[in-house]
Amino acid sequence: MNQWPGVKVRVTEGWDEELHHAPHSLHYEGRAVDITTSDKDRSKYGMLARLAREAGFDWVYYESRSHIHCSVKSESSAASKLGGCFPGHGKVRTPSGVMPVSVIQEGDEVQVMRPDGSLSFSPVLMFLHRDPRVSRSFLRLTTASGATLTLTPSHLILLLQRHLSPTTTPTVMDALDHGGVVLAGRVEAGDFLLVTGQEGVSLEEVVGIRHVMGEGVFAPLTAEGTVVVDGFIASCYAVIDSQAIAHWAFLPVRLYSNLKEAALSLLRALGALTPPFPRKPFKTYNDKHLFNDSRNSVRWREEVHSNIVEDMEAIHIHWYPRLLYTIASWLLPSHLVYS
């Protein structure tokens, strides 16, 4: 207004609904805009870029002669920085059956993969991030069988990258020997993901990657540092591009959980603590009905929604991972930190 009276900022691109940008473009994360002046006078674009920088954009440059590209770092948004998660409709397997991650509570057992590659059930120690009400951008990875996994680009996932595969038809052992854990945003078509099935763990090739919007963000933490979601084996961690570093950083959480359980067991053995009442078993979940009950919608709202969603804060990122990610941004090299 002060620089050019009567001239306004014109936004030519914000969120890209037509997939015109590169797969990892910030236009899919709500962190970038392309702007011009309302009169489209290119002689003003130099000053417009300077004004955009002074207004707080972290990165401003001439992407083309027709507009100025402006974007912000993910650190500018706590949800983008720390929110390496799965959507609420992501399904996990428990001893009682398959159910959405949104109804899982701390202490519930979910399927995980152990370091030796075997599958087992392990309790959820905590939720690194839990917000059932937010809508955000996710990546949807599709394999050759048609199976899909939806997660944020900053989340770690176990895979065998195609250029590291020793053969054209790799096995699970090849993945365990030569594979690794990478940020979901760096997965490429042709990579192989670890998938669980009736016959155990197998590899499936990624054939499609696209951005989608999803409801809710959930990031459960287990002692193994892994969790099976939608049949895919994924890490519990995000943002830090190293499973080993992230797992080591959460050692205090595992130690605290073990000490707490040991103390409670000792008190129960001494008769100083009444054993807890058994938790009501989960009911079977499927895509058609939340529970196998003719009154499923009412029962879900009363038994699950009121107990889990309404008692939580609207946005909950646990203080411990928030602290760790802050420290990591200071100490770790930039290529190990999602941005």
Side-chain angles (χ1 to χ4, degrees):
M1 291 174 61
N2 295 331
Q3 186 70 27
W4 304 299
V7 177
K8 298 181 178 180
V9 174
R10 173 174 170 264
V11 178
T12 60
E13 186 74 273
W15 171 262
D16 181 9
E17 298 177 346
E18 300 177 349
L19 305 180
H20 287 162
H21 291 80
H24 307 307
S25 171
L26 299 185
H27 283 283
Y28 301 119
E29 299 183 27
R31 296 201 274 131
V33 291
D34 296 335
I35 61 173
T36 71
T37 55
S38 58
D39 59 3
K40 302 180 184 180
D41 183 356
R42 293 180 180 177
S43 66
K44 294 185 173 74
Y45 290 0
M47 179 58 71
L48 178 64
R50 178 178 176 180
L51 294 174
R53 185 67 184 88
E54 292 178 353
F57 283 100
D58 297 306
W59 181 250
V60 179
Y61 74 106
Y62 288 91
E63 191 171 42
S64 75
R65 294 184 61 190
S66 62
H67 65 258
I68 305 297
H69 175 85
C70 309
S71 61
V72 294
K73 297 179 182 178
S74 57
E75 288 87 347
S76 301
S77 168
S80 296
K81 180 62 179 175
L82 307 181
C85 321
F86 305 99
H89 61 74
K91 301 182 185 67
V92 295
R93 183 174 295 278
T94 74
S96 301
V98 176
M99 57 196 56
V101 67
S102 58
V103 304
I104 297 298
Q105 303 179 56
E106 292 182 10
D108 292 338
E109 291 191 339
V110 295
Q111 192 173 48
V112 300
M113 188 182 78
R114 296 187 181 279
D116 62 0
S118 62
L119 299 175
S120 64
F121 291 99
S122 182
V124 174
L125 303 181
M126 61 184 289
F127 277 86
L128 307 182
H129 190 184
R130 187 170 192 169
D131 185 353
R133 300 165 185 164
V134 70
S135 297
R136 65 169 303 174
S137 175
F138 292 88
L139 280 182
R140 177 164 293 167
L141 309 178
T142 304
T143 63
S145 69
T148 61
L149 172 64
T150 305
L151 72 175
T152 53
S154 61
H155 204 96
L156 292 172
I157 185 170
L158 284 71
L159 84 169
L160 174 63
Q161 293 176 300
R162 57 180 177 178
H163 66 276
L164 296 178
S165 176
T167 65
T168 56
T169 56
T171 64
V172 174
M173 290 306 300
D174 292 328
L176 296 177
D177 293 338
H178 304 283
V181 183
V182 303
L183 297 169
R186 297 178 182 173
V187 175
E188 299 179 353
D191 292 341
F192 294 89
L193 302 183
L194 292 166
V195 182
T196 62
Q198 295 181 350
E199 300 180 357
V201 181
S202 61
L203 291 180
E204 290 195 9
E205 183 179 356
V206 177
V207 297
I209 303 172
R210 68 188 185 96
H211 288 263
V212 298
M213 292 300 294
E215 297 291 333
V217 287
F218 297 85
L221 173 67
T222 64
E224 290 73 14
T226 60
V227 62
V228 177
V229 179
D230 291 334
F232 292 82
I233 300 174
S235 170
C236 292
Y237 309 118
V239 180
I240 307 302
D241 193 11
S242 170
Q243 177 78 1
I245 293 176
H247 197 58
W248 176 86
F250 280 90
L251 176 62
V253 175
R254 297 192 295 276
L255 291 177
Y256 170 78
S257 178
N258 291 337
L259 290 174
K260 178 182 177 182
E261 187 59 34
L264 292 175
S265 298
L266 178 60
L267 291 174
R268 293 191 190 104
L270 296 175
L273 189 66
T274 303
F277 292 104
R279 178 176 292 174
K280 292 174 65 177
F282 282 114
K283 299 177 182 176
T284 304
Y285 171 85
N286 56 54
D287 288 328
K288 219 169 186 183
H289 303 285
L290 288 170
F291 297 114
N292 289 335
D293 191 306
S294 60
R295 296 166 295 173
N296 62 82
S297 61
V298 175
R299 295 181 66 85
W300 183 81
R301 285 197 300 271
E302 292 179 352
E303 297 180 5
V304 179
H305 191 76
S306 62
N307 293 335
I308 298 178
V309 176
E310 294 180 355
D311 291 341
M312 294 189 304
E313 297 178 357
I315 298 178
H316 177 68
I317 301 175
H318 197 279
W319 67 267
Y320 186 69
R322 185 189 295 273
L323 174 64
L324 289 179
Y325 296 145
T326 301
I327 295 174
S329 65
W330 297 338
L331 300 181
L332 294 181
S334 58
H335 71 273
L336 287 178
V337 182
Y338 176 78
S339 61

